[in-house]
Amino acid sequence: MEDQYRPQTIEAEAQAYWQEHETFRAREEDPRPKYYCLSMFPYPSGRLHMGHVRNYTIGDVVSRYKRMQGYNVLQPMGWDAFGLPAENAAMEREVPPARWTRENIAAMTEQLKGLGFGYDWSRELATCDPDYYRWEQWLFTRLYRKGLVYRDTAAVNWDPVDQTVLANEQVIDGRGWRSGAPVERREIPQWFLRITDYADELLDALDRLEGWPEQVRNMQRNWIGRSEGVELSFELAGRDEQLTVFTTRPDTLYGVTYMGLAPEHPISLELAERNPAIAELVAEARAGGTAEADLATREKRGADTGLEAVHPLTGERIPVWVANFVLMEYGSGAVMAVPAHDQRDWEFATAYGLPIRPVIQPADGSSAPIDEGAFAEYGVLIDSGPFTGMPSAEAFTAIAERLESEGRGQRRTQYRLRDWGVSRQRYWGAPIPMIHCEQCGPVPVPDDQLPVRLPEDVAIRPGGGSPLKTMPAFYETTCPDCGGAAQRETDTFDTFMESSWYFARFACADQEHAMLDGRADQWTPVDQYIGGIEHAVLHLLYARFYHKVLRDEGLVSSDEPFTRLLTQGMVLKDGAKMSKSKGNTVDPQALVDRFGADTVRLFTMFAAPPDQSLEWSDSGVEGAYRFLRRLHALVRDHVARGPAPGLDADALSETQRDLRRKVHETIAKASDDIGKRFTFNTAIAAVMELCNALGKAQEDDSDGGRAVMQEGLETAVLILAPIAPHLCHHLYFQLGHETPVVDAAWPQADEQALIRDQVELVVQVNGKLRGHVTLPADAGEDQAREAALAEANVQRFVADKTIRKVVFVPGKLINVVAQ
RNA sequence: GCCGGGAUGGCGGAAUUGGUAGACGCGCUCGACUCAAAAUCGAGUGGCCAUCGGCCGUGUGGGUUCGAGUCCCACUCCCGGCACCA
């Protein structure tokens, strides 16, 4: 065995071994229970960053651990290869996005292999390959025919100088990132997927996703934002028109004192032509864009329209105002304002001197103070005609029923979630498989003409927009229905389309004749999914939606794609997120080159639990390296003494038994930490403790001592095998095994070895630590009490007091309560 | 504003069910080895007082309990998400 720990040699050998033996190839015919472990696939930006290393190390540790537990593990890897950075790079370096992307994939593949991740590379996929996106196009045309796809207008950020659409992240302080011109909002036609059809299922199923962090489930609940209420109509006096509003508080209906219209409401727009005050509000709403920080701090402003609405129950005339706090995008763009019981309505009413009429009082009969703000809680109705005296909940139903019976309203469920706009006015994405025909309208591309290939040999020019729009060879086509001249859609898909089903495609990446086959149902759902919290809502919601769509198409049979989810924390340096702009990045490759992949993996797993943020520390990395070197030396020195004799547990000395107990305690703790709690840091700490203890026992050259040493070192190697797989691969062979550690079984704690015949009890007086006593493990309370009171230090504290009670916790402590 | 999560030595963190606070690692101090340094190995390392040992200590203030980092109430600050959502 080499005298020195040389990670470069050891790691190259281990990786060559895995490759040669196809160690990580997952096979469908394997009879063991399947375990699908997936880390979120990366965008091929060119180089791995620390966030990737952390994410993929966690996934690899889980995969290797599950493999040792006897599962047939699938751990694939691929590339989320479409997206904006490739277009930006194309402009900067004059290289086509396709080439840039494929070069990055090649480079990053090498990095991943160098880190020793156990991926089944035979299933590798890149979403920019036509063999991949053709099936997404295929599904889209099916969903179109099914009615789950529709076309509507939606606002985009338009750069008037570059004549192009900008992504939100390309808009900086309301200006185009390249041109610096103020960005305009433009309404253009786009394709939508009816995710709202699945809103209820997406929401309700969250309750059953017990393997997901509560935080993520909550974020999705808020995002979907279901609210139950009543939709009702107010007649407009003197106009042949009604104002429809949604309210979650029909019980406050008698407190309506004005109506609020969004500035972009059709009525507001119409009145703006004659009314300068309204026109100003409209202009402000348009200019403000979507900058939420402005909105939140914006002062409540409005203008009287002069119109009057008629209260549906009392017939009272109510003024209609245009109000800048009413959103056109939510509900109907109009609200009934109840200033006594809604804070926003209250602020607006106060600003413009509108009446505030309380109709709810607290259930205890006190009167709610509405001078300082609205009373927004439930209570009992007052001054509400026939509903006076009812509790809010009862009034909700009664008023809703009254409105329904009069045909003036109905109960309704409203969602914050909107349909998913999947059109992007970009080049580097999957072409949307639709054809626009003047005669037939939009027509889906027939299956036998799929895929619609994205031309890859293109030049991207600044300010030129998507090259597809200027490529007749791409967009000129004939209508599949009437055969006349027609134009292809030149927009491409949102890249979330590709990442919404890749997990299923990994199961059957080589399938040429279908989107998915039976293997997809065999491997999915993903048992453990690992990725960044930044995908808590969009990616994870879209993927859940897509999975249900795939299910309804008969392609998979499960309801949810990801059984368990682990969201890893950020990697920080000097307390801040690593980023190029802050200049605090650490290049993983430089560390791998210097210390080896095992050290980088070990430190990453040791420095913090996976869901917390990880503070980078160069000296911590060196500490991890030192530990691996010590482990290497321990095995080297042990092996140098020749093969260890067999273990005779009954013949061990007390010291040897103590050490062996430590070995098995470590197994028990590490199994719990890695298998159940996912706290890899504490499992590593336990192994470090074990190694410290083994190091102190090195002089024991007896048969028993050497046998326990062998068992201890094997244990350390087995537990660390998922975390530092290369070194453990090497050491396991050195310890005399003929099969690789990657195929070894996870160690089991020996209950017999865990038994203690002596226990140390903590002795407290009035809850304060005053000493320790060592007793036989089966000692009872009387014996413990006697021993505790015999302690000199305990005597000092109870001498002049009366013992009132003794608390005994077997195996733990004895507390003498004295006064 | 609302919804999550958090605050523990000089630093990262541990304490799983209310039972020895600070495991493990980093850093630091001292010692061994060395001409010297690095590396390595050994010892120590929450603060204060001290002879055994004691007092204080887990963001702040209160409470429950024989016993609280852990449970309850009120609050401060930090991080993440959402937000005039009717």
Side-chain angles (χ1 to χ4, degrees), chain A residues 591 595 599-600 603-604 616-626:
Chain A
L591 293 167
F595 298 105
T599 291
V600 176
F603 173 73
T604 305
W616 195 262
S617 156
D618 290 335
S619 50
V621 176
E622 285 174 37
Y625 184 60
R626 265 201 293 273

Side-chain angles (χ1 to χ4, degrees), chain A residues 557-636:
Chain A
S557 62
S558 48
D559 292 325
E560 286 286 335
F562 313 119
T563 306
R564 289 175 58 93
L565 173 70
L566 192 155
T567 49
Q568 103 254 13
M570 289 186 296
V571 182
L572 310 179
K573 178 91 192 293
D574 308 321
K577 186 180 180 174
M578 280 190 191
S579 73
K580 276 184 202 148
S581 58
K582 291 200 197 77
N584 62 347
T585 54
V586 174
D587 179 18
Q589 195 58 51
L591 293 167
V592 171
D593 293 345
R594 182 155 169 225
F595 298 105
D598 282 338
T599 291
V600 176
R601 295 171 58 124
L602 179 69
F603 173 73
T604 305
M605 300 304 281
F606 179 62
D611 53 343
Q612 281 180 34
S613 61
L614 183 157
E615 176 67 35
W616 195 262
S617 156
D618 290 335
S619 50
V621 176
E622 285 174 37
Y625 184 60
R626 265 201 293 273
F627 170 70
L628 291 181
R629 215 162 42 190
R630 276 209 308 274
L631 177 65
H632 180 271
L634 272 176
V635 173
R636 176 197 65 204

Side-chain angles (χ1 to χ4, degrees), chain A residues 51 94 114 128 135 180 206 294 334 372 398 432-433 475 579 588 722 760:
Chain A
E94 295 182 1
C128 62
W135 297 111
L206 287 171
D294 304 348
E372 300 112 56
I432 297 178
Y475 64 73
S579 73
E760 189 176 67

Side-chain angles (χ1 to χ4, degrees), chain A residues 129-195:
Chain A
D129 286 342
D131 287 347
Y132 182 82
Y133 65 70
R134 70 173 296 175
W135 297 111
E136 188 172 304
Q137 294 175 334
W138 172 82
L139 183 73
F140 184 83
T141 60
R142 296 214 11 135
L143 298 182
Y144 177 79
R145 295 189 184 98
K146 206 177 174 183
L148 271 175
V149 168
Y150 65 95
R151 197 163 162 81
D152 195 1
T153 59
V156 294
N157 304 302
W158 177 257
D159 185 324
V161 171
D162 273 358
Q163 292 284 301
T164 187
V165 172
L166 300 177
N168 284 333
E169 61 267 28
Q170 295 173 317
V171 181
I172 298 150
D173 295 333
R175 290 169 182 274
W177 66 307
R178 186 176 293 276
S179 70
V183 168
E184 297 169 8
R185 284 170 79 189
R186 276 206 183 176
E187 299 279 326
I188 62 169
Q190 312 208 44
W191 292 103
F192 288 85
L193 254 55
R194 292 193 196 277
I195 189 172

Side-chain angles (χ1 to χ4, degrees), chain A residues 325-342:
Chain A
F325 68 88
V326 182
L327 301 176
M328 193 59 217
E329 295 80 30
Y330 186 77
S332 58
V335 296
M336 59 174 230
V338 185
H341 304 295
D342 180 282

